[in-house]
Amino acid sequence: MVTISFGPCRIDLDARQVLRDGQPVHLSFKAYELLRILITERPKALSKTELHERIWPGTFVTDDSLAGLVAEARKAIGDRGRNPEFLRTIHGFGYAFAAVPEEGHPSPVSAAQAACWLVVDKRAIPLMAGENIIGREATAQVVLDSTRVSRQHASITVSGSMVRLEDLGSRNGTSLNGEPVTAPVALTDGANIAVGGIALTFRASADAPPTEADE
């Protein structure tokens, strides 16, 4: 469990959160994945083909899609398009993370960040600071074992007292209180979420979330 700091930014790989000047910054799921891959593979330069395969497995996308993620990541961390300090372009090949980051232990999660959770089939699943992936794959923070749920279906991002729900381009969609989620939307205590037809309830409290046994 480490954080990686570079320039004014810090990335917590466990919480899937990026901070700039101490403030959380929003990155789409795939832009975060691009940044995470380049940082963890540093100083290796990765080809566009390898990045395509790791970010869009089994899906054909153009180089423009990758360039768009690079631009989004650079904007989030305050990097420059020309003469970038952190994300370096290797023309005709791909990209690399150019800075020499420092590693350290993550800062404690605040009570406001810790005290929110999802209730699924009477189970209480705590949400951590940063991005929490909801999906079918085993590495998701909230695993839902259903063929109607995409591998990475939706995400809930906890940033201080702000909590946002976002659909990740899933096949069967995500809804909040009966309305389709087409853009990031704020969550409040008691909100009803449907992920691929599976019902979840978002809960937030000043107290610590219950364990599954408590629930």
Side-chain angles (χ1 to χ4, degrees):
M1 294 178 61
V2 296
T3 58
I4 299 175
S5 299
F6 54 96
C9 300
R10 185 171 77 249
I11 181 171
D12 187 328
L13 298 177
D14 292 313
R16 298 181 65 87
Q17 184 177 47
V18 179
L19 302 176
R20 178 181 171 190
D21 295 323
Q23 299 298 315
V25 296
H26 175 70
L27 276 173
S28 67
F29 174 76
K30 293 191 182 300
Y32 173 85
E33 281 298 293
L34 169 71
L35 185 61
R36 180 190 64 79
I37 290 168
L38 292 176
I39 288 177
T40 55
E41 295 284 353
R42 67 189 188 279
K44 178 183 176 181
L46 299 181
S47 69
K48 294 178 182 179
T49 299
E50 181 175 355
L51 290 170
H52 284 178
E53 292 172 349
R54 294 179 64 171
I55 298 173
W56 294 278
T59 304
F60 173 78
V61 296
T62 66
D63 287 347
D64 288 343
S65 297
L66 181 59
L69 294 188
V70 172
E72 181 184 347
R74 282 176 173 159
K75 181 178 179 180
I77 63 178
D79 210 2
R80 299 179 296 273
R82 295 183 178 181
N83 301 317
E85 182 179 0
F86 305 122
L87 298 186
R88 181 168 63 95
T89 300
I90 296 94
H91 293 288
F93 181 76
Y95 300 92
F97 189 79
V100 180
E102 299 177 357
E103 296 188 4
H105 295 286
S107 57
V109 177
S110 70
Q113 291 172 322
C116 49
W117 64 97
L118 290 176
V119 178
V120 188
D121 291 332
K122 298 184 178 181
R123 294 183 298 121
I125 304 174
L127 299 172
M128 62 186 180
E131 188 175 45
N132 298 264
I133 300 299
I134 304 170
R136 196 173 70 247
E137 69 179 12
T139 57
Q141 281 71 44
V142 181
V143 178
L144 300 177
D145 187 14
S146 169
T147 56
R148 289 184 55 81
V149 175
S150 300
R151 289 189 307 156
Q152 295 175 340
H153 194 109
S155 70
I156 294 179
T157 301
V158 180
S159 178
S161 60
M162 175 65 71
V163 183
R164 297 188 306 272
L165 170 69
E166 181 177 0
D167 184 79
L168 300 178
S170 65
R171 182 179 60 186
N172 291 311
T174 303
S175 67
L176 174 63
N177 296 325
E179 296 295 328
V181 174
T182 58
V185 60
L187 290 177
T188 56
D189 183 44
N192 295 313
I193 302 168
V195 173
I198 295 179
L200 307 90
T201 303
F202 173 75
R203 300 306 309 271
S205 170
D207 301 322
T211 64
E212 291 192 12
D214 292 335
E215 189 70 18

